[in-house]
Amino acid sequence: MTTVVFADLVGSTSMYERLGDEAASRFVNQLMGVLGQVFEQHHGRVVKVLGDGLFVVFESEGDALAACINIQKRLEGKPIQPGGTGAPVQMQIGIESGEVVEIDGDCFGDTVNSAARLADLAGAAQILTTEHVFKTLLPVQKASLRSMGPMYLRGRAEASHVYRVEWQTGRDEDATMAGRSMFAVNHEGFLQLEFGGKSVRLDSRSGKLSLGRSPDATLSVNDPRVSRMHATLEWRGGHFVLTDASSYGTWVYLGNQGEPVVLRRTECYLVGSGQIVPGCEQADDNAPLIAFSVRN
């Protein structure tokens, strides 16, 4: 079994626009070199640098997790600003474990694809992984993982049980106060919903929001497939949680994934961006498409 890590730089496009191609490329190359050394110190092998990201493999799931947490804590404790100004660097990371095919030092297979999709799905300063990794970890490492429930990763026929790594718990005491306050806000963020020209925002201080056919719902959706009180959304335990309470169910499309998470009197966590479709599938005629995005 091999553990695969994809670590991607957040917001690189805006950085290139601000600094220019030459300065931004020089900065990214230096950053990838430093991060690559951290991975190697934890017994990882950098397979390749992918522009503004790293593709790394490990023999041990525990080593991979420790390396990723180390990197996130370093960036929190000593924020790095490209060009000395602007927002500090943040990474989004995915970890998966399984069989890989190695050819001339490169690695291929479903495990590699899954790790890349997890990195795409992760938000800024987040680490996402799956049940495969969770099962192999020591109890002390398992304690830092929080279940996000089943999710369909693009290119996979079956849902993967996804976990978010709560790496900020017990963070280093030498982290700067500026770093603490900055990351506390990003860690929490807010959820934005858009439908029919109306915008609704949910954060940790908001009460529970409702969506449904009833005019009393926080977000009213006038469609016969939608129940009067179809679903609720709330901030709970560090996550934005969508809970279905309807007759026909709720379809949730995360990111660019074609396969939805289907809720029938169940719940799921919302991450990144996507669409919530109450009462039917995305492709149905005149489907009520509610856009959502989790923002910092």
Side-chain angles (χ1 to χ4, degrees):
M1 300 288 281
T2 300
T3 305
V4 178
V5 170
F6 274 81
D8 295 332
L9 179 62
V10 176
S12 60
T13 300
S14 60
M15 182 189 67
Y16 273 84
E17 292 175 349
R18 183 170 61 85
L19 298 181
D21 289 347
E22 183 178 350
S25 295
R26 185 165 55 249
F27 172 81
V28 170
N29 288 337
Q30 292 173 346
L31 177 65
M32 294 303 121
V34 171
L35 298 183
Q37 291 177 3
V38 176
F39 281 123
E40 289 169 354
Q41 289 166 4
H42 288 80
H43 312 296
R45 177 174 69 85
V46 177
V47 176
K48 63 175 69 171
V49 177
L50 303 168
D52 56 359
L54 290 169
F55 170 15
V56 190
V57 294
F58 292 80
E59 293 184 3
S60 161
E61 291 87 351
D63 285 345
L65 180 62
C68 295
I69 291 174
N70 190 329
I71 282 174
Q72 298 289 30
K73 286 188 173 183
R74 286 190 181 201
L75 294 176
E76 178 191 34
K78 296 180 180 179
I80 302 171
Q81 295 174 294
T85 60
V89 165
Q90 292 180 303
M91 302 296 292
Q92 52 192 105
I93 300 176
I95 310 173
E96 179 64 296
S97 178
E99 299 294 334
V100 302
V101 177
E102 184 169 342
I103 302 175
D104 296 330
D106 204 349
C107 297
F108 305 89
D110 188 54
T111 300
V112 175
N113 296 335
S114 178
R117 302 294 179 256
L118 288 165
D120 290 341
L121 188 62
Q126 283 189 351
I127 305 168
L128 297 185
T129 189
T130 68
E131 187 83 16
H132 298 138
V133 174
F134 177 83
K135 288 179 177 179
T136 67
L137 298 174
L138 295 172
V140 67
Q141 289 182 306
K142 286 183 178 179
S144 68
L145 270 61
R146 298 291 178 268
S147 172
M148 299 179 71
M151 295 185 181
Y152 281 92
L153 303 180
R154 185 157 50 93
R156 305 194 79 176
E158 297 181 354
S160 300
H161 197 116
V162 176
Y163 291 81
R164 185 172 74 180
V165 181
E166 299 290 350
W167 60 267
Q168 289 178 305
T169 301
R171 54 192 167 186
D172 294 340
E173 289 303 316
D174 61 355
T176 63
M177 293 306 294
R180 288 169 186 258
S181 61
M182 176 191 71
F183 275 81
V185 172
N186 285 339
H187 178 64
E188 186 172 297
F190 65 92
L191 172 68
Q192 190 85 15
L193 300 175
E194 306 279 349
F195 176 75
K198 184 176 181 180
S199 178
V200 176
R201 172 174 168 150
L202 174 68
D203 59 32
S204 64
R205 294 167 293 280
S206 305
K208 185 181 292 188
L209 304 184
S210 61
L211 64 88
R213 198 174 70 252
S214 170
D216 296 329
T218 310
L219 187 61
S220 183
V221 182
N222 187 16
D223 187 289
R225 294 164 291 191
V226 178
S227 298
R228 286 184 57 80
M229 284 298 173
H230 194 98
T232 60
L233 300 107
E234 62 183 315
W235 172 265
R236 188 205 314 154
H239 302 282
F240 292 107
V241 182
L242 170 65
T243 303
D244 175 77
S246 70
S247 301
Y248 299 113
T250 302
W251 281 252
V252 182
Y253 296 82
L254 298 162
N256 296 319
Q257 297 175 34
E259 294 294 331
V261 176
V262 183
L263 306 179
R264 289 187 172 88
R265 303 299 174 110
T266 53
E267 62 183 34
C268 75
Y269 297 139
L270 299 180
V271 294
S273 61
Q275 289 185 326
I276 300 168
V277 190
C280 63
E281 296 187 50
Q282 195 178 48
D284 286 5
D285 291 341
N286 300 314
L289 307 178
I290 302 171
F292 77 84
S293 60
V294 177
R295 307 179 184 178
N296 293 324

